[in-house]
Amino acid sequence: MTRGQGPTVRRRRLAAELRRLREAAELTIDEVGEKLECSASKISRIETGHVGVTPRDARDLLELYGLAGDEREALVHLAREARKRGWWHAYNEVFTGAFVGLEADASSLRAFQALLVPGLLQTERYTRTVIRAMRPDAEETEIQRRVAARKARQQLLADAAPPEYWAVVDEAVLHRMVGGPDVLAEQLERLLVLAELPHVTIQVVPFSAGAHPGMEGPFLILGFPEQADPDVVYVDSTSGGSYLEMPEDVRRYSLMFDHLRAAALKPDDTIDLIADAVRRVSAIGGETRSGDSGDSGEHRS
């Protein structure tokens, strides 16, 4: 796919343009609602991108703002394109908000994680373990659905025109025994494979780096190819993430990421550290299997 041409980004772009045109027309949201005989909250939700806008509503808004001719028709067409459904709509019960649509359209992704392997890099067994731990009351069908949705997201890195993906993780991620030695070893080996891709960079912030900017929590900076689509920061949380779009917020997180990259091991040294972790975890797994066999033998005897 061509980066930056998906429905979520188109809706975001249209929302920003409608807000700009309203302000240029010197109209308040309340005045627009009154003139079009609709609620001010509807106009507000359109301008923030929380709801889509029909081509007819777009035409009415643009006429009110004094836009005519080809410029108006171009934005009406944008409204029409923004209403198309992306692949993620098949997982509506899993994905909420605009995150996956924005991720699917980004040309660059800069991720930091302190506790877990980033979602796009996870193996299926690692994903299943994490989801089950975070949702202990979930039914097995829900777990399976969420795992399938995560796997669908991961196809992004195999796209014909993939985004540039740069992940920085804390060294704790290499030590947290998610799913046991076998699951973790498989996951770490997966990181080594993905790090070989030309569009993927992985770095680890070692324990020796001490305190670092990422201790505040995980985040993702999404960059887009068009100047009309400014970068956005997604700050993750268990109750649902938040989006930061103000330029000062994006600059702050971009600076944080730069400091994290500087504190992290170089990519080649990161590969060596992960490879060492694979050997360490695999050895633990071997000892565990050997111990289990011995215990079983004693029990049988």
Side-chain angles (χ1 to χ4, degrees):
M1 63 167 283
T2 302
R3 309 247 68 83
Q5 298 301 314
T8 304
V9 167
R10 289 175 185 269
R11 186 170 75 182
R12 182 173 178 243
R13 189 183 306 164
L14 177 61
E17 187 63 11
L18 289 174
R19 182 171 61 250
R20 186 190 68 80
L21 289 168
R22 175 183 59 76
E23 292 172 348
E26 299 183 345
L27 291 169
T28 67
I29 288 177
D30 288 332
E31 288 171 337
V32 172
E34 183 179 343
K35 290 179 181 295
L36 296 184
E37 298 183 344
C38 67
S39 67
S41 62
K42 175 183 176 178
I43 305 302
S44 177
R45 291 196 301 272
I46 286 174
E47 291 190 0
T48 55
H50 288 132
V51 298
V53 55
T54 66
R56 179 175 180 177
D57 283 345
R59 186 173 283 107
D60 290 343
L61 286 166
L62 295 169
E63 184 176 348
L64 178 62
Y65 301 156
L67 202 67
D70 292 342
E71 288 182 295
R72 182 173 68 187
E73 290 309 308
L75 289 178
V76 171
H77 177 71
L78 186 61
R80 191 173 294 112
E81 292 293 307
R83 291 177 63 82
K84 291 183 177 179
R85 289 179 173 269
W87 64 263
W88 51 90
H89 283 279
Y91 297 94
N92 271 342
E93 78 282 15
V94 176
F95 299 128
T96 58
F99 170 72
V100 176
L102 291 173
E103 179 186 65
D105 234 18
S107 57
S108 69
L109 298 166
R110 291 173 285 169
F112 172 75
Q113 275 284 356
L115 299 176
L116 300 169
V117 170
L120 290 182
L121 307 180
Q122 292 176 5
T123 64
E124 182 173 340
R125 290 203 295 170
Y126 188 98
T127 294
R128 184 179 300 277
T129 303
V130 169
I131 293 174
R132 182 165 292 285
M134 297 178 70
R135 296 178 177 272
D137 58 340
E139 298 287 340
E140 180 59 27
T141 53
E142 180 186 348
I143 300 293
Q144 292 176 352
R145 188 67 172 158
R146 289 183 176 277
V147 171
R150 180 71 53 83
K151 289 178 66 177
R153 271 184 62 206
Q154 292 172 347
Q155 291 302 307
L156 179 65
L157 295 183
D159 193 84
E164 292 294 324
Y165 185 80
W166 196 311
V168 177
V169 300
D170 193 279
E171 187 178 348
V173 172
L174 309 185
H175 295 269
R176 186 173 301 280
M177 203 64 68
V178 174
D182 289 348
V183 172
L184 181 57
E186 178 187 50
Q187 176 62 77
L188 297 178
E189 289 172 349
R190 175 64 175 162
L191 292 182
L192 294 177
V193 171
L194 291 171
E196 294 296 321
L197 297 175
H199 55 283
V200 174
T201 302
I202 301 174
Q203 287 183 270
V204 170
V205 180
F207 289 142
S208 59
H212 58 71
M215 298 176 77
E216 185 177 351
F219 63 89
L220 175 69
I221 305 172
L222 302 98
F224 303 94
E226 298 294 332
Q227 191 173 4
D229 305 316
D231 293 358
V232 59
V233 177
Y234 179 76
V235 182
D236 203 1
S237 70
T238 55
S239 59
S242 58
Y243 301 90
L244 304 175
E245 301 185 65
M246 298 299 291
E248 58 269 25
D249 290 326
V250 175
R251 281 195 297 270
R252 180 165 66 89
Y253 275 89
S254 295
L255 182 61
M256 286 170 60
F257 193 80
D258 288 342
H259 280 285
L260 284 165
R261 288 191 299 188
L265 298 175
K266 294 179 180 179
D268 288 344
D269 294 332
T270 288
I271 295 301
D272 292 339
L273 183 64
I274 296 175
D276 287 342
V278 170
R279 289 188 285 270
R280 171 179 53 78
V281 174
S282 297
I284 294 173
E287 292 172 2
T288 301
R289 287 189 294 274
S290 176
D292 289 344
S293 298
D295 291 343
S296 298
E298 290 176 5
H299 182 71
R300 285 193 301 272
S301 66

